[in-house]
């Protein structure tokens, strides 16, 4: 769950809540006001409560998606990982309040106060998990794609050799209805061409095409072609490691780096790399992974 929290804290452009597999939970509707101390002493109950609270935050963003996308587009990625989350949202809105109407500001203020209450419950649950010894250790934070299955958009099988043959694999998670995702496709193609000589490759994972849905693959291919994106894109199996990872992504586009062993390296990049600062930051991370790969040979 801490990985999810990091992703929430660096939200930049687009909340992808139309992707319903975020936590595998049903529609919770309203936030549960009952104390988390009642009936949640077991570890599995605490974890389920934590999942549900994150899902409830998702639903708030989805309900007022248009105005929250405006907020996320103005966030500073470099400051997003520290401090109280509700305070961070509030400070972003306050710093850019001239960009919102009075009605939008009212909506944002109400949503932030609801999120603040949820964050208090999340902290309480996380403290209980820490006390029970069930919280994530550093080793638990290492994400590895030990199995990856599916097909690319040309019908070719995909497996772990995707990673083993590359010094670094840049995996970009996107979906067809995400405007920031589509906007960066041409830049991702440029990145793919730039890192080939370094032993790197860019691959796309379109979450609409999980489990090989032909109609959505056809639609995704049209969008890629319109943007001049020729790098490989995959329709993965939802139950593969990469598919499960994608189900926990709360903001799109998200880009990660995977080393030769299939380990996710560094922090996810949230937001399009058509932003030059994001592109430069990603290139720096890519070079670091390539250098580490060379040192290990």
């Amino acid at each position: 769950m801490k990985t999810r929290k990091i992703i929430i804290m660096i939200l930049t452009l687009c909340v992808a809540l139309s992707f319903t597999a975020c936590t595998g939970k049903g529609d919770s509707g309203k936030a549960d006001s009952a104390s988390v101390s009642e009936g949640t002493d077991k570890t599995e109950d605490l974890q389920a409560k934590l999942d549900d609270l994150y899902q409830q935050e998702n639903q708030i963003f989805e309900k007022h998606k248009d105005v929250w996308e405006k907020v996320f587009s103005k966030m500073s990625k470099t400051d997003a990982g520290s401090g109280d989350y509700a305070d961070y949202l509030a400070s972003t809105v306050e710093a850019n309040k001239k960009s919102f109407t009075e009605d939008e500001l009212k909506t944002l203020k109400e949503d932030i106060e609801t999120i603040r209450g949820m964050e208090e419950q999340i902290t309480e649950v996380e403290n209980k998990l820490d006390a029970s010894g069930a919280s994530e250790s550093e080793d638990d934070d290492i994400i590895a794609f030990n199995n990856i299955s599916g097909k690319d958009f040309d019908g070719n099988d995909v497996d772990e050799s995707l990673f083993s043959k590359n010094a670094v694999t840049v995996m970009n998670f996107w979906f067809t209805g995400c405007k920031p995702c589509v906007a960066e496709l041409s830049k991702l193609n440029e990145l793919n061409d730039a890192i080939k000589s370094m032993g790197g490759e860019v691959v796309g994972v379109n979450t609409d095409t999980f489990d090989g849905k032909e109609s959505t693959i056809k639609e995704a291919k049209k969008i890629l072609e319109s943007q001049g994106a020729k790098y490989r894109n995959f329709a993965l199996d939802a139950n593969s490691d990469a598919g499960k990872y994608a189900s926990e992504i709360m903001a799109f586009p998200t880009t990660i780096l995977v080393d030769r062993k299939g380990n996710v390296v560094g922090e996810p990049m949230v937001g399009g790399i058509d932003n030059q600062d994001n592109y430069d930051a990603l290139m720096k991370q890519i070079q670091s992974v390539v250098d580490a790969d060379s040192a290990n040979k």
Side-chain angles (χ1 to χ4, degrees), residues 68-296:
W68 275 111
E69 284 186 359
K70 287 172 65 176
V71 176
F72 298 142
S73 69
K74 299 180 183 301
M75 284 183 172
S76 169
K77 185 177 186 296
T78 57
D79 297 333
S82 60
D84 179 87
Y85 184 44
D87 286 346
Y88 174 65
L89 294 175
S91 64
T92 300
V93 171
E94 178 63 24
N96 298 278
K97 60 183 180 181
K98 292 182 179 180
S99 302
F100 305 100
T101 66
E102 290 186 8
D103 287 343
E104 287 175 333
L105 288 171
K106 180 180 178 182
T107 295
L108 291 169
K109 182 178 179 180
E110 291 174 351
D111 284 355
I112 289 170
E113 288 311 304
T114 302
I115 290 169
R116 191 182 303 280
M118 291 178 183
E119 288 296 307
E120 291 174 357
Q121 293 187 63
I122 287 171
T123 298
E124 186 178 346
V125 174
E126 289 178 337
N127 288 341
K128 288 194 174 194
L129 284 170
D130 286 341
S132 69
S135 60
E136 298 177 34
S137 67
E138 289 186 8
D139 288 341
D140 292 331
D141 286 336
I142 297 175
I143 300 171
F145 295 155
N146 294 316
N147 71 79
I148 180 170
S149 57
K151 294 182 181 295
D152 65 25
F153 283 3
D154 292 325
N156 302 306
D157 290 333
V158 178
D159 57 28
E160 293 78 12
S161 65
L162 166 68
F163 305 124
S164 62
K165 69 179 185 179
N166 294 324
V168 59
T169 302
V170 181
M171 296 189 75
N172 175 257
F173 295 88
W174 68 291
F175 68 101
T176 52
C178 169
K179 292 180 180 178
C181 299
V182 175
E184 71 166 346
L185 293 177
S186 61
K187 195 68 173 180
L188 285 165
N189 195 74
E190 178 184 322
L191 177 66
N192 185 51
D193 291 340
I195 65 176
K196 282 180 180 178
S197 62
M198 301 165 60
E201 180 183 9
V202 174
V203 299
V205 178
N206 184 287
T207 58
D208 288 332
T209 65
F210 274 9
D211 299 323
K213 298 176 183 177
E214 291 298 330
S215 60
T216 53
I217 290 174
K218 185 177 180 180
E219 182 180 1
K221 288 174 72 172
K222 286 182 178 179
I223 291 174
L224 288 164
E225 183 178 357
S226 71
Q227 300 300 312
K230 299 179 181 180
Y231 59 91
R232 290 197 295 168
N233 269 256
F234 301 134
L236 295 182
D237 294 336
N239 288 326
S240 68
D241 287 345
K244 291 176 181 177
Y245 179 90
S247 75
E248 294 191 350
I249 293 176
M250 293 185 178
F252 290 74
T254 287
T255 303
I256 62 173
L257 304 184
V258 184
D259 67 14
R260 195 181 298 275
K261 296 180 180 179
N263 296 320
V264 177
V265 183
E267 300 294 349
M269 169 72 72
V270 182
I273 65 165
D274 49 326
N275 175 298
Q276 191 61 44
D277 288 341
N278 283 355
Y279 183 89
D280 293 343
L282 186 60
M283 279 296 293
K284 185 176 180 180
Q285 291 185 43
I286 290 170
Q287 186 63 61
S288 178
V289 178
V290 170
D291 290 345
D293 182 77
S294 298
N296 289 330

